[in-house]
Amino acid sequence: MSVLRFLFNLLWFLLGGVLMGLAWWLAGLLCFISLIGIPWGRACFMIGTFTFFPFGKTTVSRRFITGRDDIGTGTLGLIGNIIWFVLFGVWLAIGHITSALACFITIVGIPFGIQHLKLALASLAPIGQTVVTKHEAETGQYIR
């Protein structure tokens, strides 16, 4: 299965994943211009890194990794996610869902469509989330 994951990630990266990830990183840099934008900038870098190679990875709350709340998983993170959702998240999710539907037209594109749906979900409320491998998420090995 890891060979298929590698091939899909390579195809994804070459066919647009690198551009999408760099765009997310650019948005993150722009968010870091102001202190208020730092949580959103961090979220942009998380999604950007996830976008480069999404096969075999998923997002989980940092609360599950650390076992406690932090600024992104608490009340301030919730408020930040609501602001993100209204201003950016819903539109980014619509874009990823549209891309997923285009990928679902062909059988070969189905795995890529699934990744777009994962990215749409991650772009809805990214503050307080982190990226882990599917194996870590399924077994809970990321818990320290």
Side-chain angles (χ1 to χ4, degrees):
M1 194 64 176
S2 63
V3 173
L4 280 177
R5 186 178 322 130
F6 171 77
L7 289 175
F8 280 130
N9 274 323
L10 182 64
L11 281 172
W12 175 274
F13 187 79
L14 294 174
L15 297 175
V18 65
L19 295 175
M20 290 170 43
L22 289 174
W24 275 105
W25 281 7
L26 177 62
L29 287 174
L30 293 174
C31 288
F32 277 119
I33 290 174
S34 71
L35 289 176
I36 296 171
I38 289 175
W40 293 288
R42 185 174 178 186
C44 287
F45 278 103
M46 184 270 305
I47 296 174
T49 303
F50 186 32
T51 302
F52 284 127
F53 301 106
F55 287 90
K57 296 180 183 172
T58 190
T59 57
V60 296
S61 173
R62 285 195 313 265
R63 179 182 306 128
F64 294 128
I65 292 176
T66 62
R68 57 184 162 73
D69 279 336
D70 61 25
I71 197 164
T73 60
T75 305
L76 289 175
L78 175 65
I79 293 168
N81 275 327
I82 291 169
I83 294 169
W84 173 274
F85 177 81
V86 171
L87 296 177
F88 306 109
V90 69
W91 304 110
L92 292 168
I94 289 171
H96 280 296
I97 290 169
T98 303
S99 297
L101 292 175
C103 289
F104 286 143
I105 291 173
T106 65
I107 293 174
V108 175
I110 291 173
F112 298 100
I114 292 170
Q115 299 313 308
H116 275 294
L117 292 178
K118 282 190 342 187
L119 287 166
L121 191 60
S123 67
L124 286 175
I127 297 175
Q129 299 287 319
T130 192
V131 178
V132 296
T133 65
K134 284 265 194 176
H135 182 271
E136 290 172 331
E138 291 170 356
T139 61
Q141 288 182 347
Y142 55 82
I143 298 173
R144 291 175 174 84

